[in-house]
Amino acid sequence: MRLAGTYRDVLLASVVASAVALAGVSHVSAAGTGALPPRSTCRGQSNLAAPVAVQLRATRCLINWTRRHAGLAPVARNDELDRSAAMRARDIKRCRDFSHTPCGQPFITVFTAVHYFTGTAAVGENLAWGQGRLGTPRAAMANWLASPPHREILFTAKWRDLGVGRVRGTLFGRPNVTVWVAQFGRRSLP
């Protein structure tokens, strides 16, 4: 999902959501997804037992490796987007609603809560969920790369900021599910 403009423009924008569910996807080859980095590149990318901080760092690494190999600038970690991504992930789990608008909240709720919208801003968001080994950062990235709407968000050249969030638990009636949220942004401060 992507929105751009001033805060007022964002409130008036119509929203089209795209999300990918990883459950049931057993394997996505590198040839089908584009450029996935070698498994040794981003520590923790395939390890569900790694600490949360390591998995979040691996996700940022995967995103930036993929962007660099597509000829795009990397995106910088942004504390506000990290907080809003974590909020979105928690809302998805709390409401058991895998969407960009969980609990019926407007898309921009998490961005305004962390004060990302100051001046002119644009944001985009990719969601993924996977059960068991399909919940790794690498699995989420492989599936984003296999999905044209998610690739479009991932490879938007104007992004400068990145926030990543995740939750794990029993979701959608399934145990050991991981939800990933990657939020991208660019803003011009007043």
Side-chain angles (χ1 to χ4, degrees):
M1 171 174 295
R2 189 167 43 176
L3 293 175
T6 64
Y7 179 75
R8 184 173 182 275
D9 294 334
V10 171
L11 288 174
L12 299 174
S14 63
V15 181
V16 177
S18 64
V20 63
L22 302 178
V25 178
S26 61
H27 181 264
V28 177
S29 71
T33 62
L36 269 174
R39 291 185 185 274
S40 61
T41 301
C42 301
R43 186 173 71 88
Q45 66 174 286
S46 297
N47 183 359
L48 283 172
V52 173
V54 171
Q55 292 184 49
L56 293 170
R57 191 170 36 252
T59 304
R60 286 189 288 274
C61 175
L62 289 165
I63 288 168
N64 279 320
W65 189 96
T66 304
R67 285 178 59 87
R68 280 192 301 275
H69 281 78
L72 298 171
V75 285
R77 181 179 179 180
N78 179 279
D79 289 337
E80 292 156 324
L81 290 182
D82 274 347
R83 287 194 314 273
S84 63
M87 289 169 63
R88 177 83 75 217
R90 284 191 305 268
D91 287 345
I92 288 169
K93 182 179 179 183
R94 178 174 55 86
C95 296
R96 291 171 279 178
D97 182 9
F98 183 71
S99 81
H100 296 282
T101 58
C103 314
Q105 298 173 351
F107 174 72
I108 63 168
T109 298
V110 295
F111 300 103
T112 56
V114 300
H115 307 290
Y116 188 78
F117 287 123
T118 53
T120 301
V123 296
E125 177 177 87
N126 280 350
L127 304 177
W129 71 272
Q131 185 176 15
R133 67 181 175 79
L134 298 177
T136 65
R138 185 175 181 88
M141 178 58 69
N143 283 280
W144 287 333
L145 289 170
S147 163
H150 293 91
R151 287 178 65 88
E152 180 181 345
I153 292 169
L154 179 65
F155 295 128
T156 296
K158 69 181 172 186
W159 301 140
R160 295 294 174 258
D161 301 327
L162 172 66
V164 178
R166 72 170 267 305
V167 293
R168 181 173 292 144
T170 298
L171 293 149
F172 324 118
R174 296 180 163 107
N176 195 26
V177 169
T178 305
V179 172
W180 288 98
V181 178
Q183 293 179 340
F184 302 87
R186 181 179 183 141
R187 62 183 171 184
S188 301
L189 300 174

